[in-house]
């Protein structure tokens, strides 16, 4: 298959499995950050249950933020980005594939791993499902929006801090709705409004972010 | 009435009509033949004119890096089978010029034209240009983690060159077939340059833009690259390259135009 999306997905996965540190590092970071909280908080089951969901969300955001810096770095350093810029194939589609591969390596794995962390916080089973659902829908938006920042800072040698400053404020709405979903479900209310808000953000990010990433790369590489 | 409705009678009555119809077609047939003839003539004259007229030309290019003006008023024109050799001291803007011609950067002013249409202002022509151009810069675009074969395979598929068996042929042509299954970061610098060059062989790139193609390769490698460049020029391709040494003794010396920055 020579479809641009499939071609770039295959390439990214091939590279991920050659260089497994990109798969393992965000996950380890996520687990460790989340597990620091139970150690530093008073040992009250009720408190941990109430704030556990939010802590797991913040850990996921930080883990994804950490993995973003290297997203375009290797492709920029070895000149692959230049080659894509002057290729007749669609750059936004190629970038969408790259973000999708990045999400599979970070957001998807974090979401799959989150139920195990929930046990550490003694979060009840119904809320585990809510958290899992929220992460599955919310993390692709995190990757897509983060990729715009990564594209803007790709030429800077130490762009990590700048990237965090640009991107973290944009993550706040996703964090509000994602963590709010668990609080809502904990108090027994329906979670649809937050779910729809997350889905709306995702739909917006999928349609607009690839073009923003492509535009950002075109202007920064010059 | 019965007689008129019989099949024989129908044929007798219809046949002259059909003949008349056929004759009526003759003006249109002759017209279409003439039209075909004219278009064929046009096509022929197009082909003959493109081999003389410049395919790639640049006018009044100006590039500013930071505060400093690297070059101003640079222009050239190249037709099929010609090679442009950029000369200049370090930092004179050779790579910047190549990147502008390749379409990666935009010039401060001036224009690059491919088949008499701007590559910066005309989006349709820009896409056509990009499918005809191959840029090989200092950064080779190869992935450290992937083997030589996998690297080439990706670029072949990017160009829709489906036949994967020809990869070995390209590697053998560049003399690195025995390293086909070694990951690119374990290749020596010269071998890596050869692998990067192998990327140009598989697709129909009309224009090659090469930034110092002979750095890092040994004498055999240099001869090999010269041979391949010569073949490319002989088949109507265009090459723009930078090189610090003179190319007066190279195989394709008679096709070279020089431009000093």
């Amino acid at each position: 298959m020579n479809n641009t999306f499939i071609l770039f997905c295959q390439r990214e996965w091939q590279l991920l499995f050659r260089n497994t540190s990109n798969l393992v590092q965000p996950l380890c970071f996520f687990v460790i950050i989340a597990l620091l909280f139970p150690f530093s908080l008073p040992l009250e089951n009720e408190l941990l249950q109430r704030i556990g969901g939010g802590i797991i969300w913040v850990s996921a955001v930080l883990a994804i933020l950490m993995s973003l810096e290297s997203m375009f770095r290797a492709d920029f350093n070895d000149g692959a980005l230049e080659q894509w810029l002057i290729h007749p194939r669609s750059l936004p589609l190629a970038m969408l594939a790259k973000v999708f591969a990045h999400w599979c390596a970070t957001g998807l794995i974090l979401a799959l791993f989150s139920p195990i962390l929930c046990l550490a916080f003694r979060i009840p089973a119904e809320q585990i499902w809510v958290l899992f659902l929220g992460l599955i829908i919310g993390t692709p938006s995190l990757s897509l929006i983060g990729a715009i920042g990564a594209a803007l800072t790709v030429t800077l040698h130490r762009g990590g801090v700048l990237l965090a400053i640009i991107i973290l404020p944009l993550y706040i709405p996703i964090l509000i709705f994602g963590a709010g979903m668990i609080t809502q479900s904990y108090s027994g209310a329906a979670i649809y409004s937050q779910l729809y808000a997350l889905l709306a953000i995702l739909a917006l990010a999928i349609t607009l972010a690839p073009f923003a990433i492509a535009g950002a790369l075109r202007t920064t590489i010059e | 009435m019965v007689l008129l409705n019989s099949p024989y009678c129908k044929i007798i009555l219809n046949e002259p009509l059909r003949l008349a119809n056929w004759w009526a077609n003759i003006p249109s047939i002759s017209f279409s033949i003439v039209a075909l003839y004219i278009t064929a003539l046009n096509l022929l004259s197009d082909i003959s004119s493109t081999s003389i007229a410049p395919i790639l030309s640049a006018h009044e290019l100006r590039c500013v890096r930071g505060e400093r003006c690297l070059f101003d008023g640079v222009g050239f024109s190249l037709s099929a089978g010609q090679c442009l050799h950029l000369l200049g001291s370090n930092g004179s803007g050779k790579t910047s010029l190549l990147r502008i011609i390749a379409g990666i950067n935009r010039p401060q002013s001036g224009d690059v034209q491919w088949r008499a249409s701007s590559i910066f202002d005309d989006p349709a022509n820009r896409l056509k240009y990009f499918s005809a151009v191959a840029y090989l810069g200092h950064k080779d675009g190869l992935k450290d983690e992937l083997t030589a074969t996998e690297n080439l395979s990706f670029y072949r598929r990017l160009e829709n060159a489906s036949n994967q068996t020809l990869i070995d042929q390209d590697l053998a042509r560049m003399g690195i077939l025995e390293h086909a299954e070694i990951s690119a970061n374990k290749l020596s610098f010269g071998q890596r340059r050869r692998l990067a060059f192998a990327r140009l062989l598989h697709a129909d790139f009309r224009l090659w833009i090469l930034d110092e193609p002979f750095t890092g390769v040994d004498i055999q490698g240099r001869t090999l690259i010269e041979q391949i460049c010569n073949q490319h020029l002989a088949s109507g391709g265009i090459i723009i390259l930078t090189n610090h040494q003179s190319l007066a003794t190279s195989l394709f010396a008679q096709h070279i135009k020089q431009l000093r920055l």
Side-chain angles (χ1 to χ4, degrees), chain B residues 227-239:
Chain B
Q227 279 168 1
I228 292 168
C229 286
N230 196 23
Q231 278 174 20
H232 181 61
L233 292 172
S235 65
I238 304 171
I239 298 177

Side-chain angles (χ1 to χ4, degrees), chain A residues 135-192:
Chain A
L135 283 174
I136 283 281
I137 297 169
T139 46
S141 316
L142 296 181
S143 289
L144 282 162
I145 296 170
I148 303 172
L152 283 172
T153 54
V154 67
T155 49
L156 306 174
H157 286 294
R158 303 199 50 80
V161 181
L162 184 61
L163 177 64
I165 294 170
I166 297 174
I167 288 305
L168 281 180
L170 298 175
Y171 280 176
I172 291 172
I174 302 169
L175 202 60
I176 290 173
F177 291 121
M181 217 159 101
I182 304 157
T183 334
Q184 197 87 337
S185 136
Y186 195 72
S187 60
I191 54 163
Y192 295 115

Side-chain angles (χ1 to χ4, degrees), chain A residues 70-85:
Chain A
S70 61
M71 195 172 184
F72 297 112
R73 185 52 47 84
D75 289 327
F76 174 69
N77 285 341
D78 62 24
L81 268 183
E82 289 171 0
Q83 297 295 333
W84 304 339
L85 284 188

Side-chain angles (χ1 to χ4, degrees), chain B residues 48-221:
Chain B
S48 57
S49 69
T50 45
S51 62
I52 303 157
I55 295 179
L56 179 76
S57 59
H59 312 280
E60 298 293 318
L61 289 177
R62 174 187 165 89
C63 173
V64 178
R65 276 270 168 274
E67 304 282 291
R68 205 161 65 94
C69 176
L70 281 179
F71 51 78
D72 196 1
V74 170
F76 59 83
S77 66
L78 291 170
S79 46
Q82 283 188 317
C83 170
L84 183 74
H85 179 193
L86 292 181
L87 284 158
S89 51
N90 296 127
S92 59
K94 297 188 295 295
T95 299
S96 300
L97 180 57
L98 287 188
R99 287 171 68 90
I100 287 172
I101 300 167
I104 301 172
N105 294 2
R106 272 173 193 267
Q108 226 74 30
S109 64
D111 197 13
V112 178
Q113 295 198 331
W114 174 253
R115 296 189 190 282
S117 180
S118 167
I119 66 161
F120 296 113
D121 304 332
D122 179 357
N125 189 49
R126 194 173 164 83
L127 282 186
K128 266 190 228 157
Y129 177 64
F130 283 161
S131 54
V133 62
Y135 171 69
L136 185 58
H138 288 289
K139 299 174 178 177
D140 47 24
L142 302 173
K143 281 283 153 206
D144 280 344
E145 297 94 334
L146 302 182
T147 66
T149 312
E150 286 164 343
N151 266 306
L152 274 194
S153 159
F154 172 73
Y155 279 109
R156 285 187 76 91
R157 291 176 60 195
L158 203 61
E159 304 304 335
N160 276 324
S162 50
N163 196 344
Q164 299 284 318
T165 53
L166 292 173
I167 291 174
D168 283 354
Q169 202 178 312
D170 286 349
L171 288 172
R173 197 162 166 212
M174 293 312 297
I176 44 172
L177 183 58
E178 65 268 37
H179 309 296
E181 300 307 321
I182 295 177
S183 58
N185 59 351
K186 296 200 178 70
L187 293 175
S188 78
F189 184 69
Q191 286 166 342
R192 227 182 131 107
R193 292 296 293 178
R194 285 174 182 230
L195 176 59
F197 203 85
R199 190 162 67 73
L200 304 181
L201 304 176
H202 62 249
D204 277 342
F205 299 119
R206 190 82 191 269
L207 169 64
W208 290 1
I209 299 176
L210 313 172
D211 202 347
E212 301 192 18
F214 303 118
T215 14
V217 291
D218 51 20
I219 297 166
Q220 290 94 334

Side-chain angles (χ1 to χ4, degrees), chain B residues 27-67:
Chain B
S28 65
I29 289 172
S30 55
F31 177 76
S32 49
I33 287 172
V34 169
L36 264 175
Y37 187 70
I38 290 170
T39 41
L41 270 181
N42 270 339
L43 274 176
L44 275 176
S45 64
D46 265 2
I47 291 165
S48 57
S49 69
T50 45
S51 62
I52 303 157
I55 295 179
L56 179 76
S57 59
H59 312 280
E60 298 293 318
L61 289 177
R62 174 187 165 89
C63 173
V64 178
R65 276 270 168 274
E67 304 282 291

